[in-house]
Amino acid sequence: GLTGYQRFTFSRGTGDNARVLTATITGNNPVNGVDELMHEELARVFTDLQQDRDSDIIILTGAGRAFCAGGVFGAFAE
């Protein structure tokens, strides 16, 4: 299901829009850059969204001033 996410929030419409689900990227930086946690969540979020039987339309958006700026420099350094 759509639980246990830290870098995404989910909201469902109401009334005539009850089958519309909005998935919002909520990164830990102003431009929603992909860090290690978001990378892990991206690996499963689309499967979870596809399996959501209560949605006919899924909107993917980003919180704040940017949808997603790409990877965070140094986030994957070993």
Side-chain angles (χ1 to χ4, degrees), residues 7 9 11 13 16-17 21 27-28 30 35-36 40 62 65 70:
R7 298 290 189 258
T9 59
S11 61
D16 290 342
N17 295 318
L21 178 70
N28 67 340
D35 59 9
E36 189 171 355
E40 292 172 11
R65 64 184 176 110

Side-chain angles (χ1 to χ4, degrees), residues 35-70:
D35 59 9
E36 189 171 355
L37 178 58
M38 188 185 299
H39 187 267
E40 292 172 11
E41 291 184 358
L42 280 167
R44 65 185 169 102
V45 72
F46 295 107
T47 299
D48 287 349
L49 290 169
Q50 181 182 14
Q51 293 174 356
D52 184 64
R53 295 183 183 267
D54 294 325
S55 301
D56 292 326
I57 298 171
I58 296 171
I59 299 168
L60 179 62
T61 189
R65 64 184 176 110
F67 173 74
C68 179

Side-chain angles (χ1 to χ4, degrees), residues 13-20:
T14 59
D16 290 342
N17 295 318
R19 297 194 57 81
V20 177

